[in-house]
Amino acid sequence: MARMGAFPRYVICGLSLLHALVAGSPLRPGAVPRYFQNAPFTRRDLSVTTVQQELGGQLSHSSTIYGSSSPAWTNATERWNTLSPPDVEVVVQPGEESDIPIIVKYCNDNSIEFLAVNRGHGLTTSLGAFKGLEIDLQSLTGITIQPGKKSAILQAGTYGIEVMQTLWDEGYVTPTGSNECVGFMGPALGGGHGRFEGLYGLISDNFVHLNVVLANGSEIGVNATSYDDLFWAMKGAGHNFGIVTSAEVKIYPREVDTWHYHNYYWTQDKLETVFEKLNIFHGNGTTPPRMGVNFGQISINSSISSTEASLFWTFAYDGPAADAEKLLEPFNAIDAVAEEIGDLPYPEIPGVQGTSVASGSCSSNTYAIGTTMLHTYNVSAERQNYNYFNEEAAKYPDLAATARLYYEGYATKAAQAVDPTLSAYPHRDKLHILFFATAVPAGSNLLDPAEAWAKESRSIWNGGEPKNKPTVYVNYATGDETLESVYGEKWRLDKLRGLKTKYDPNNRFRYFVPIVSQ
């Protein structure tokens, strides 16, 4: 048997002695260099008590660590869609932005998976692969208008109505998501559609500076001149690259005191006329910029008919009623069962459009969803989808109660004016976001037919644009879409994968519509 040489033997003895000296040292643990500390290990089952003991002392006094027995657990872990929720074992709620890199480094040192969460509206089934520690951002709610009155800093836990109301009260606005219960940052990192898109672009078009914690726990400032490649990625695919602890965004002087809204209820015989008028209204991205959004819904409205679906459409205009109604003349000419008209301060508009915190659109449930994006409505396909809706509603009345075909049509002028190569968001040429959704009753055997209904509705929509490849808004992706349909053409995916290797080589951020799944 070959013998170990003297020099290697001395080296090993020396290292063993050094390890013993370090282990017996009176130094506090944090003073021991990382390369002399015990190697990272995997926590198979996280203990709240252990995490509190090991991590708690390193965090700010306003931070909290808790498990499922805490009264705060439900609020922190509740999901909008409970179909495939993440498996959260421990929640850490940072009290300050500076806590977040400490939490990430702790997770890395202990091979613990982590997931940053604000309002829990991400609906992709890829989140179901997660098991580990949730970083709950909801306590980071600072909104600070900067001295020049051109921008504001929003912390990671802010959400729709907070941003809308706070800035409005100060005389300003900024793009947010269209639903007031949804977080600000989540939609923004996926591009961010909203009512100000026609005037000021997507939410991410208004990023000035992002404070980001990377997968290794390092803190960096990201903007057009610092980490500009990552800045590109954060505007459309940001969930895959880091935790934004706060963002500086552009703000704009509030120009009006009220928005005008007009809601229409139509019977099914008006379907073709409505969609024809909508196609003219939106043109080729020529929707009047101040007509912030129109939302449409095909569903069973028992006050109109309990056996066949009817149409509901709501328009919101950033300005006076007279200007809005002139633009809405084509729709006023369509005989409606009922109409609702009024003028309200901007933060109250979600309430009349069905996207407020109190609306059904914010209710947690197990949803079956199918979603796509279109440039133009195919009127024949809309009739086909309507007929299919009624057929399925008759077969599954428990699903029909909440089922809906939903349509989002934003003004797009400012968003389309941005060079599409300047951000990761790939779908600026699309004018409409559509989805089917229905809530699956708990304890029922209706999930399979609900998902089949969702997929067929999506297929009918996509079949109406046979020359176009299917496209999906990343924030609405459900988990069965191709990466190309979500993140765009090959050059975009190649660039994103390269940046993933650079900024997250161990793929720690892989649970929200992952660019690299493993």
Side-chain angles (χ1 to χ4, degrees):
M1 180 181 295
R3 297 182 62 186
M4 184 183 295
F7 177 73
R9 185 167 62 248
Y10 292 148
V11 170
I12 292 174
C13 290
L15 289 175
S16 299
L17 177 60
L18 182 57
H19 178 80
L21 290 172
V22 170
S25 169
L27 292 173
R28 54 185 173 80
V32 179
R34 291 174 63 86
Y35 43 84
F36 287 148
Q37 295 178 22
N38 290 331
F41 56 93
T42 300
R43 290 280 168 79
R44 296 186 181 275
D45 294 295
L46 289 182
S47 161
V48 175
T49 301
T50 300
V51 176
Q52 287 172 335
Q53 292 173 343
E54 295 176 345
L55 179 61
Q58 303 178 54
L59 304 179
S60 63
H61 294 304
S62 55
S63 299
T64 55
I65 300 172
Y66 52 86
S68 58
S69 63
S70 169
W73 178 263
T74 298
N75 183 57
T77 60
E78 184 179 40
R79 306 294 305 183
W80 177 75
N81 189 4
T82 60
L83 176 62
S84 183
D87 183 356
V88 177
E89 297 177 290
V90 177
V91 172
V92 181
Q93 187 177 84
E96 298 178 5
E97 291 183 47
S98 58
D99 293 319
I100 296 175
I102 297 171
I103 298 168
V104 170
K105 289 175 182 177
Y106 171 79
C107 289
N108 288 337
D109 285 348
N110 291 279
S111 297
I112 298 170
E113 300 298 331
F114 57 87
L115 181 70
V117 176
N118 182 4
R119 302 286 291 180
H121 281 261
L123 54 87
T124 175
T125 56
S126 62
L127 288 165
F130 173 81
K131 182 178 181 179
L133 182 149
E134 175 186 310
I135 303 174
D136 176 19
L137 303 170
Q138 291 186 70
S139 65
L140 301 176
T141 58
I143 300 173
T144 308
I145 295 175
Q146 295 305 284
K149 308 296 184 181
K150 300 291 186 181
S151 65
I153 295 177
L154 312 180
Q155 286 192 303
T158 56
Y159 67 99
I161 188 58
E162 291 179 328
V163 177
M164 294 164 67
Q165 191 69 62
T166 299
L167 293 181
W168 183 265
D169 289 345
E170 294 295 325
Y172 297 93
V173 296
T174 196
T176 68
S178 58
N179 198 310
E180 68 180 26
C181 63
V182 176
F184 174 84
M185 210 65 70
L189 295 177
H193 291 276
R195 292 179 179 87
F196 282 111
E197 187 173 329
L199 291 173
Y200 308 124
L202 302 173
I203 302 174
S204 57
D205 293 336
N206 291 274
F207 284 164
V208 176
H209 179 93
L210 305 176
N211 292 314
V212 178
V213 175
L214 296 177
N216 63 5
S218 60
E219 304 168 76
I220 61 173
V222 179
N223 55 52
T225 58
S226 174
Y227 300 96
D228 60 318
D229 56 350
L230 183 58
F231 194 53
W232 178 90
M234 298 301 285
K235 296 186 289 184
H239 312 87
N240 278 266
F241 289 95
I243 302 173
V244 178
T245 63
S246 59
E248 183 179 358
V249 300
K250 298 174 186 176
I251 61 174
Y252 304 90
R254 166 181 135 191
E255 297 181 351
V256 299
D257 292 328
T258 59
W259 278 50
H260 182 72
Y261 70 91
H262 195 149
N263 300 343
Y264 303 86
Y265 297 82
W266 287 301
T267 49
Q268 62 84 19
D269 57 304
K270 308 300 190 302
L271 183 146
E272 282 80 5
T273 302
V274 169
F275 281 103
E276 287 167 359
K277 297 299 184 184
L278 285 167
N279 280 337
I280 296 170
F281 188 72
H282 286 286
N284 191 29
T286 56
T287 313
R290 290 192 177 277
M291 189 62 76
V293 70
N294 64 83
F295 295 136
Q297 180 170 299
I298 294 176
S299 61
I300 299 293
N301 181 339
S302 58
S303 67
I304 298 175
S305 172
S306 59
T307 58
E308 65 177 22
S310 58
L311 287 70
F312 166 76
W313 232 270
T314 173
F315 293 79
Y317 182 80
D318 179 13
D323 293 349
E325 290 300 322
K326 185 174 182 179
L327 295 171
L328 293 173
E329 285 178 357
F331 302 98
N332 292 336
I334 305 172
D335 187 35
V337 175
E339 299 179 46
E340 298 161 343
I341 305 173
D343 299 86
L344 292 170
Y346 172 62
E348 297 179 33
I349 287 295
V352 295
Q353 291 202 294
T355 62
S356 69
V357 170
S359 69
S361 64
C362 285
S363 299
S364 174
N365 222 313
T366 297
Y367 292 101
I369 299 171
T371 181
T372 191
M373 301 181 77
L374 300 176
H375 184 274
T376 304
Y377 294 124
N378 182 306
V379 178
S380 297
E382 293 304 332
R383 172 56 70 179
Q384 182 183 354
N385 229 341
Y386 174 87
N387 291 339
Y388 177 66
F389 185 100
N390 278 343
E391 292 169 7
E392 296 301 290
K395 288 192 290 187
Y396 304 106
D398 288 342
L399 296 177
T402 58
R404 53 185 167 143
L405 297 167
Y406 201 83
Y407 305 81
E408 300 184 9
Y410 298 96
T412 57
K413 182 178 180 180
Q416 290 188 323
V418 175
D419 183 341
T421 66
L422 297 182
S423 75
Y425 182 76
H427 303 314
R428 293 180 188 270
D429 59 323
K430 300 299 180 181
L431 305 183
H432 310 301
I433 304 172
L434 303 83
F435 66 84
F436 168 88
T438 187
V440 180
S444 74
N445 61 352
L446 295 175
L447 179 58
D448 286 346
E451 291 191 323
W453 190 351
K455 290 178 180 179
E456 180 61 17
S457 298
R458 178 180 64 185
S459 178
I460 292 171
W461 276 326
N462 287 334
E465 288 193 334
K467 295 182 180 180
N468 296 335
K469 294 181 178 180
T471 52
V472 179
Y473 179 33
V474 64
N475 290 326
Y476 287 9
T478 61
D480 67 341
E481 302 89 355
T482 66
L483 287 178
E484 290 78 10
S485 70
V486 177
Y487 293 111
E489 53 267 62
K490 184 178 183 298
W491 75 265
R492 291 181 178 275
L493 274 170
D494 288 346
K495 184 172 181 177
L496 287 170
R497 288 174 179 135
L499 292 172
K500 189 72 171 171
T501 300
K502 178 178 179 180
Y503 289 105
D504 184 15
N506 295 318
N507 201 21
R508 297 291 268 158
F509 298 107
R510 65 179 184 276
Y511 296 107
F512 188 89
V513 195
I515 295 167
V516 180
S517 58
Q518 298 294 332

